[in-house]
Amino acid sequence: MNHVVELRSDTFTLPTPRMLRAAAEARLGDDVYGEDPTVTELEELSAKLLGKEAACLMPSGTMANLAALLTHSPRGGKAIVGAESDIYVYEAGGAAVLGGVVYEPIPTAADGTLPLDAVVEACEVDADDPQFALPSVLSIETPQNRRGGIPLPPAYLAEAAAVARAQGIALHLDGARIFNAALALGVPAADLAAHADTVQFCLSKGLSAPIGSMLAGDARSIATARRIRKMLGGGMRQAGMIAACGIIALNEMVDRLADDHAHAARLAAGLAELPGLRLDPEPPRTNMVFFSVDRDATAHTTASLIDAAHARGVRMAELGRDRIRAVTHSGVTAGDVDRAVTVLAEVLSSAPAAGR
Ligand SMILES: *Cc1c(COP(=O)(O)O)cnc(C)c1O
């Protein structure tokens, strides 16, 4: 029996043997006292890689984004977010529920950007009129997951930063996969981070660490975020065990993301040959392949295709209405990609199970 080809998400990556060894051997202390040397090392490394003054280890990307929004926004302030952003769709409304922050969602354009005229419009409220929530932060996401894993163009980041500055609000970048974006664009991650006041990225996705995200920014914002992290229950004691994996992730797992992008391209090329599937975007820009089922060309539905592939050992996710997402990562080889293409070809040439 072959192993399962896990394409639902790069969050399924497992820590490497070197990470496990580093965790076991890490120098530890109480990080709530600021005395875990391994956490401090990871925070300094992260800040340096992103060209920021400081960084703070967070248990998850969700908490990093939440801490950032609460750092930049008072209760009753307004966070301008993308309607298709992870923050708005997948993070349980944390800033509203826990922080009293009002979300103003702006439709995310097909290229992953938030149209800046709409951002300006959301900002242009009369500060002397008591009926309006006052804007405090703009959050943008790169790569934009629900728009196909598209990296936002650096020129757009610069324009968004200029708009935020002109409007007197902060810019937060949800860069969960910022190293994938940087790779796709051929620029250092720090060049992307430079435009934002705070940046979040995940250690626990393509970088293959088991736990953790980093929030980076200026020293003052990160000090505030550190206090908020404690308030949210994210102050961790001997977190060096996690941080040791994160250090390996940054030192050893960034360059190999190129393999994931090559595998995504290989997968997309294979799927493009199959009748009944429509890729979008084509070619993929990062480690995500998105496609939909062409109902004119096959009797399969999104659900029947996912189920039948699952039964044959290839797992994919429905993400957004009638869109299928397949994500490559360190646990997926070129051979796995070829097997996924073969399995989908088999599935498409057989009838869907009754009722799906
Ligand atoms: C995964 C992800 C997050 C949240 O990270 P968790 O560690 O899963 O909480 C935030 N933003 C984006 C764009 C993501 O892909």
Side-chain angles (χ1 to χ4, degrees):
M1 178 68 191
N2 289 316
H3 71 277
V4 169
V5 179
E6 180 56 80
L7 299 172
R8 281 176 296 173
S9 177
D10 46 11
T11 55
F12 283 90
T13 46
L14 296 173
T16 65
R18 282 171 61 84
M19 287 181 187
L20 296 175
R21 210 172 319 124
E25 293 169 0
R27 290 194 301 141
L28 303 174
D30 187 333
D31 182 53
V32 176
Y33 286 78
E35 292 183 16
D36 187 303
T38 310
V39 172
T40 303
E41 184 186 338
L42 172 63
E43 292 180 342
E44 288 173 354
L45 175 61
S46 301
K48 190 170 135 236
L49 275 176
L50 291 198
K52 296 295 188 196
E53 280 175 8
C56 179
L57 170 63
M58 297 280 178
S60 67
T62 300
M63 191 184 287
N65 283 333
L66 175 56
L69 295 187
L70 299 192
T71 293
H72 298 308
S73 188
R75 294 187 71 81
K78 188 162 83 173
I80 301 164
V81 300
E84 299 295 333
S85 66
D86 199 278
I87 285 186
Y88 190 61
V89 178
Y90 295 127
E91 299 183 12
V97 177
L98 303 170
V101 175
V102 180
Y103 291 112
E104 179 148 337
I106 287 186
T108 307
D111 66 358
T113 62
L114 304 187
L116 293 174
D117 51 352
V119 171
V120 169
E121 202 179 315
C123 288
E124 282 179 340
V125 299
D126 180 352
D128 296 325
D129 186 334
Q131 69 186 325
F132 297 119
L134 299 180
S136 46
V137 57
L138 166 65
S139 179
I140 55 180
E141 179 180 315
T142 194
Q144 221 294 339
N145 178 20
R146 286 173 61 90
R147 285 285 182 259
I150 299 178
L152 302 180
Y156 173 80
L157 297 179
E159 282 174 45
V163 165
R165 211 175 308 117
Q167 297 295 333
I169 65 175
L171 179 65
H172 174 64
L173 181 61
D174 181 357
R177 299 178 178 85
I178 195 169
F179 295 102
N180 295 89
L183 171 65
L185 296 164
V187 300
D191 286 13
L192 307 179
H195 301 289
D197 295 294
T198 51
V199 183
Q200 182 284 123
F201 71 88
C202 296
L203 298 165
S204 58
K205 291 183 172 164
L207 301 184
S208 309
I211 300 167
S213 280
M214 304 306 300
L215 182 68
D218 63 282
R220 212 185 134 118
S221 294
I222 296 306
T224 303
R226 203 179 284 285
R227 173 177 296 277
I228 291 167
R229 179 188 69 171
K230 183 71 175 80
M231 183 181 73
L232 295 171
M236 299 178 287
R237 301 296 177 178
Q238 283 72 40
M241 300 200 68
I242 296 169
C245 299
I247 292 168
I248 306 259
L250 290 176
N251 286 336
E252 300 182 6
M253 304 300 281
V254 172
D255 289 347
R256 64 151 305 288
L257 293 175
D259 294 346
D260 300 343
H261 290 202
H263 290 160
R266 183 185 181 103
L267 177 61
L271 297 185
E273 299 294 314
L274 303 182
L277 301 183
R278 258 199 305 251
L279 285 121
D280 179 27
E282 186 183 13
R285 299 291 309 279
T286 53
N287 65 328
M288 298 182 175
V289 179
F290 281 82
F291 57 97
S292 54
V293 176
D294 181 355
R295 298 303 308 280
D296 295 333
T298 171
H300 275 279
T301 63
T302 303
S304 74
L305 192 83
I306 288 174
D307 287 357
H310 182 185
R312 289 167 166 83
V314 174
R315 303 217 63 179
M316 301 173 303
E318 180 167 4
L319 196 128
R321 202 149 175 262
D322 281 333
R323 284 186 97 197
I324 299 175
R325 188 182 78 164
V327 185
T328 55
H329 53 75
S330 60
V332 175
T333 64
D336 291 335
V337 163
D338 294 345
R339 198 168 126 231
V341 174
T342 304
V343 159
L344 283 173
E346 280 169 23
V347 167
L348 286 165
S349 63
S350 59
R356 302 294 286 180

